Amino acid sequence: MKVFFAGFGCKVNQYETESIKADFISEGFETADEITSADVIVINSCTVTSSGDSKSLYFLRKARKDNPEAVIVLTGCMPQATPEIAESIPEADIVTGTKERGNIVSLVKEFTKSRNQIVSIGKYCASDKFEEIIPGDFSEKTRAFVKIQDGCNQFCTYCIIPYARGRCRSKPLDILEKEIYTLAQSGHKEIVLVGINLAFYGKEFGIRLVDAVELCCKINGVERVRLGSLEPEVISDEDLLRLSKLPQFCPQFHLSLQSGCDKTLKAMNRHYNTEEYYGLVKKIRNIFPECSITTDIMVGFPNETDEDFEASLEFVKKVGFAKIHVFQYSPRNGTPAAKQPQIKNSVKHERADRMKKLGDELKQKYLEKQIGKTVPVLFERENSPEFHQGYAPDYTLIKIPAKNCEKSLRRLIFYVKIRESEKDCCIGEII
């Protein structure tokens, strides 16, 4: 039987989709490149925003229309967070949450015998351990994502994820070491550590995220270690100093801000204010002069006034991010913010446009500052015959002109002199 996989959302979801795929392959299934040629379709959903739900459901209904006979599995965050909705979706033959990934293959086998819809959504409890799942095959990727943390204890007033993922839990270091060793042996030079609330890694073990980074850096073959999104309030001075001593560590810090207005941060139940955030930014830049700092910004949070938004804009300018991801607040049923007075969609759109414009300006300034620097670039698969492309340690996209008949540079690291900047990248030459 052939299986088609569709994953939506964050890097953790990408990792888990690959793990589910590995599970099917280990049971003798083959992968399908097209929906229409699949016997089974697995949809790993995202629910972080209402648009995430919409994308997952649109794909599900299209898959059923395009392949009426396939067994369709809906799994992931959406069913876990809103089981009452997921259970009522007739197009899904099997509905599971974020706890049953290891059971999906057996559920498919069970369904093929009975042809009766299966709904299996387990509940989280405080004593849950980190789920050990089969690492996926990242052989086609230059960088390998490794999930080391799951769950969240923060309960921001806008966020449904604690209900979709349970409480914080971490991958033990001995299991992480084996996984990283296997990836290094298969030729992966760069490891990206990801989690739902990554900065809280190791709390239940009495260790910290930097312990996981140091472990990865000790494994032969690993030349780069990069981190996913971080909550700023738990990053200590000691963490930064230990990271600065690791040559393999990539100084790209994605510090989730959400708003540059203290009033809004408090309403969001974020555990820092703008002064504390900016203090951390200054420490990072002092210790890592060649770092990039990127972030997420939400606009249109309930009760956000024009003055609140202007304060957020000014703070973003003050920090001078290398890149920002802008998104509009969308109410999630079951969260406190959904019960608050809502901002008009037209206002959200206008604020998002202004914040995105500022983000584009800041990104261009950052890229222009890279001109003249010489940086190591890990090259990836070519997207164009005209260029080789890859990423610097700070995650600046670098392109170099490709010579006629030149072989692929994929998975190779070369030093590149940056000559110019464009809209989304820098152009350079190997030295």
Side-chain angles (χ1 to χ4, degrees), residues 297 299 309 313 316 323-328 348-364 423:
I297 297 289
V299 300
F309 175 69
L313 273 177
V316 168
K323 184 179 181 180
I324 59 176
H325 171 232
V326 180
F327 60 104
Q328 299 174 39
K348 292 182 187 179
H349 292 319
E350 187 269 336
R351 290 177 183 174
D353 287 343
R354 288 184 62 194
M355 188 65 78
K356 287 175 182 176
K357 182 180 179 182
L358 174 58
D360 290 342
E361 292 171 358
L362 294 176
K363 181 178 181 180
Q364 198 56 48
K423 182 180 179 181

Side-chain angles (χ1 to χ4, degrees), residues 149-156 159 161-163 165-169 196-197 200 231:
Q149 189 276 338
D150 206 343
C152 183
N153 300 347
Q154 298 301 87
F155 289 91
C156 297
C159 188
I161 293 304
Y163 307 95
R165 288 283 181 171
R167 305 292 78 77
C168 285
R169 50 208 187 277
I196 296 301
N197 203 330
F200 284 82
E231 294 296 302

Side-chain angles (χ1 to χ4, degrees), residues 36-53:
T36 52
S37 62
D39 302 294
V40 180
I41 299 169
V42 177
I43 301 166
N44 193 12
S45 64
C46 171
T47 195
V48 69
T49 64
S50 57
S51 65
D53 284 349

Side-chain angles (χ1 to χ4, degrees), residues 14-15 17-19 21-22 25 31 135-146 179 182-191 378-381 408 410-412:
Q14 294 178 39
Y15 178 90
T17 301
E18 290 298 323
S19 174
K21 184 185 297 185
I25 292 173
T31 58
D137 179 13
F138 286 90
S139 59
E140 294 300 312
K141 307 290 186 181
T142 302
R143 289 168 283 130
F145 298 133
V146 178
E179 186 171 351
T182 300
L183 289 167
Q185 290 294 106
S186 66
H188 288 286
K189 290 183 170 68
E190 182 173 317
I191 304 298
L378 174 59
F379 285 91
E380 303 195 347
R381 190 182 303 280
S408 172
R410 182 171 179 257
R411 287 192 176 179
L412 299 177

Side-chain angles (χ1 to χ4, degrees), residues 132-302:
E132 294 184 29
I133 54 180
I134 300 174
D137 179 13
F138 286 90
S139 59
E140 294 300 312
K141 307 290 186 181
T142 302
R143 289 168 283 130
F145 298 133
V146 178
K147 174 188 166 186
I148 66 170
Q149 189 276 338
D150 206 343
C152 183
N153 300 347
Q154 298 301 87
F155 289 91
C156 297
T157 59
Y158 55 83
C159 188
I160 197 70
I161 293 304
Y163 307 95
R165 288 283 181 171
R167 305 292 78 77
C168 285
R169 50 208 187 277
S170 310
K171 179 177 287 184
L173 287 175
D174 58 336
I175 297 175
L176 173 62
E177 183 174 17
K178 293 175 183 177
E179 186 171 351
I180 301 300
Y181 177 81
T182 300
L183 289 167
Q185 290 294 106
S186 66
H188 288 286
K189 290 183 170 68
E190 182 173 317
I191 304 298
V192 185
L193 300 180
V194 299
I196 296 301
N197 203 330
L198 183 63
F200 284 82
Y201 172 83
K203 190 173 182 180
E204 70 269 45
F205 303 142
I207 59 176
R208 300 182 66 81
L209 176 60
V210 66
D211 292 296
V213 178
E214 288 174 341
L215 181 149
C216 294
C217 291
K218 291 177 182 177
I219 296 175
N220 288 335
V222 175
E223 298 190 33
R224 291 184 171 190
V225 180
R226 195 179 298 279
L227 296 176
S229 180
L230 299 170
E231 294 296 302
E233 69 268 25
V234 293
I235 301 173
S236 70
D237 294 357
E238 182 185 355
D239 292 337
L240 296 175
L241 290 172
R242 286 171 65 183
L243 290 172
S244 71
K245 296 176 182 178
L246 303 172
Q248 298 95 330
F249 176 68
C250 292
Q252 175 211 0
F253 294 85
H254 188 86
L255 303 177
S256 183
L257 175 60
Q258 304 303 345
S259 174
C261 170
D262 286 334
K263 185 190 111 182
T264 305
L265 288 173
K266 185 176 181 180
M268 289 176 168
N269 194 35
R270 302 293 286 176
H271 300 275
Y272 53 85
N273 57 37
T274 53
E275 181 181 355
E276 292 165 337
Y277 187 99
Y278 192 63
L280 175 61
V281 168
K282 289 193 292 185
K283 287 178 184 177
I284 291 173
R285 286 174 170 162
N286 183 52
I287 296 172
F288 299 92
E290 301 300 322
C291 74
S292 67
I293 296 179
T294 59
T295 199
D296 304 305
I297 297 289
M298 182 188 298
V299 300
F301 188 75

